[in-house]
Amino acid sequence: MHKVRWGILSTANIALTQVIPAIQRYENTEVVAIASRSGKAQQAADKLNIPKGYDSYEALLEDSSIDAVYIPLPNHLHKHWVMEAAKRGKHILCEKPAALTADETAEMIQFCRSHNVKFMEAFMYQFHPQHHRVKEILASDAIGEVKQMRASFSFYLDDRVTNIRMNKEMGGGSIYDVGCYCIHAIRNILESEPLSVHANARIDSETGIDITSVGSMILENGTVATFDCSFDTTFRNEYEIIGTKGRIHVPRAFRPDVVGGEGLILIQNAEGERTEKVSGDIYRSEIAHISQSIIRDLDLSAFEENTTKNMRVIDACYQSIELGKRIDF
């Protein structure tokens, strides 16, 4: 196989504006079909130069010309359609969060393994080279021993009537939508898992979803980490790492694509302050990673394990909010 042929399950905005164009930018991939239950598939196909439009997800999955599918469906539908795709031998890129619980996630991943298909959760931010550079700076001892990390991801959600982010049964809520990035970044940048989690939230009285959430974690390496996420404040997507001799601030941590792919790393220590600029195409890099894994039959088990571990922390956050106490692992 020299080129991965992709099918898209849904005409979700992220598919139309980000992922499909990224697949079309990468030389070893092509989009051959898109499906929608809304009747909009052919319109999207025509607009984006996709050969086939299907009016059902089942029809797309039965298309033998498709090697892999991208699933940007509402969160509560991920498990079902991941399994339906795996049954038909399709490799899978599934939007975050992979499922609604860690148990669901583990079941999905095991099902994909049993059907010999690749599975990857679509945390596109991690493929931006600024994060690798941050790890290099940490390893150089530029800010000394790391003691704290904080991460924030928020935006103001205008549509609170029809937006699926406000629907609890569909996996709505700020932690599922944007807090998951903060948790993922803390765990992966610091390469340590939480020993305990304590989270609080402002719950929307009408829908029951968490509009704004804050959480604190004690990691296995002793670092204290905090995060906040919200549908109720201005756009922020950043993290800060604080050490004994300095700090690193990454103000475009999760969506550098909105500023042309340029990431910023601000380093402050006894030697002064400096800024590094690092550019990358996060969606194209994400597509390249899973597509090369399919073409070359590379192991994605580290990504699968990471997905389950992240969902485990999300579970603990929601449990902490519900019970009003710290959750220990």
Side-chain angles (χ1 to χ4, degrees):
M1 184 190 294
H2 299 289
K3 186 170 280 195
V4 178
R5 298 163 298 183
W6 284 87
I8 314 297
L9 290 190
S10 148
T11 52
N13 185 62
I14 190 171
L16 301 182
T17 63
Q18 303 295 342
V19 175
I20 290 172
I23 295 172
Q24 293 172 334
R25 285 198 299 275
Y26 185 55
E27 59 271 17
N28 293 119
T29 53
E30 60 181 325
V31 182
V32 299
I34 186 169
S36 175
R37 289 174 164 176
S38 66
K40 298 178 180 178
Q42 193 58 54
Q43 179 184 354
D46 293 342
K47 182 177 179 180
L48 294 169
N49 297 314
I50 299 169
K52 304 173 189 177
Y54 289 108
D55 289 329
S56 76
Y57 304 143
E58 293 89 348
L60 184 146
L61 293 177
E62 293 295 340
D63 186 334
S64 61
S65 72
I66 294 170
D67 305 308
V69 294
Y70 168 59
I71 302 178
L73 294 166
N75 299 337
H76 72 301
L77 297 177
H78 289 177
K79 179 184 174 183
H80 175 78
W81 288 107
V82 163
M83 289 182 166
E84 289 299 309
K87 285 178 187 176
R88 294 163 175 84
K90 312 300 186 188
H91 304 289
I92 299 150
L93 176 66
C94 180
E95 263 309 322
K96 40 55 55 185
L100 298 183
T101 68
D103 286 345
E104 275 191 8
T105 303
E107 185 182 351
M108 288 161 53
I109 290 171
Q110 184 55 45
F111 193 85
C112 289
R113 288 176 178 173
S114 69
H115 285 77
N116 199 31
V117 300
K118 309 288 185 187
F119 174 89
M120 193 173 85
E121 184 180 24
F123 268 117
M124 77 300 179
Y125 90 93
Q126 67 186 308
F127 295 101
H128 196 283
Q130 66 181 333
H131 308 297
H132 177 71
R133 179 58 187 143
V134 166
K135 288 188 176 184
E136 288 181 337
I137 295 167
L138 291 176
S140 74
D141 200 41
I143 66 166
E145 184 181 356
V146 173
K147 295 294 185 179
Q148 296 181 43
M149 181 170 176
R150 65 169 186 86
S152 303
F153 200 172
S154 69
F155 64 96
Y156 190 82
L157 181 61
D158 290 307
D159 175 15
R160 305 202 177 188
V161 178
T162 63
N163 196 297
I164 61 172
R165 294 177 175 89
M166 299 295 293
N167 188 316
K168 189 172 184 177
E169 288 68 37
M170 296 174 76
S174 65
I175 294 177
Y176 276 139
D177 193 60
V178 284
C180 59
Y181 288 90
C182 301
I183 294 165
H184 197 274
I186 289 166
R187 295 177 43 260
N188 286 279
I189 299 298
L190 299 184
E191 298 180 350
S192 187
E193 298 297 325
L195 291 172
S196 66
V197 172
H198 197 171
N200 291 285
R202 186 171 76 79
I203 304 298
D204 181 69
S205 58
E206 293 185 10
T207 63
I209 63 104
D210 57 303
I211 287 285
T212 297
S213 295
V214 296
S216 61
M217 296 182 273
I218 304 298
L219 303 186
E220 291 172 344
N221 63 9
T223 305
V224 177
T226 60
F227 74 88
D228 67 272
C229 54
S230 183
F231 297 153
D232 223 18
T233 59
T234 191
F235 179 59
R236 299 170 303 140
N237 70 122
E238 62 184 2
Y239 62 74
E240 179 184 34
I241 304 168
I242 306 163
T244 53
K245 298 191 297 187
R247 59 188 284 266
I248 298 171
H249 180 216
V250 181
R252 302 171 179 173
F254 307 118
R255 292 299 309 274
D257 56 296
V258 301
V259 285
E262 183 184 75
L264 291 179
I265 305 170
L266 314 176
I267 305 105
Q268 182 184 56
N269 56 23
E271 298 176 4
E273 298 182 10
R274 75 178 195 273
T275 301
E276 296 187 14
K277 296 181 179 180
V278 184
S279 293
D281 184 340
I282 53 176
Y283 287 102
R284 182 184 181 277
S285 296
E286 174 182 66
I287 292 301
H289 189 91
I290 186 170
S291 297
Q292 284 300 319
S293 298
I294 294 167
I295 292 168
R296 299 163 62 192
D297 193 23
L298 302 178
D299 184 18
L300 285 175
S301 60
F303 284 85
E304 295 169 346
E305 183 180 349
N306 201 351
T307 291
T308 304
K309 287 181 176 178
N310 212 61
M311 285 304 309
R312 179 169 164 259
V313 181
I314 292 171
D315 283 354
C317 286
Y318 279 118
Q319 186 180 8
S320 178
I321 291 166
E322 182 179 356
L323 300 177
K325 67 178 186 179
R326 184 186 73 195
I327 304 299
D328 295 318
F329 291 97

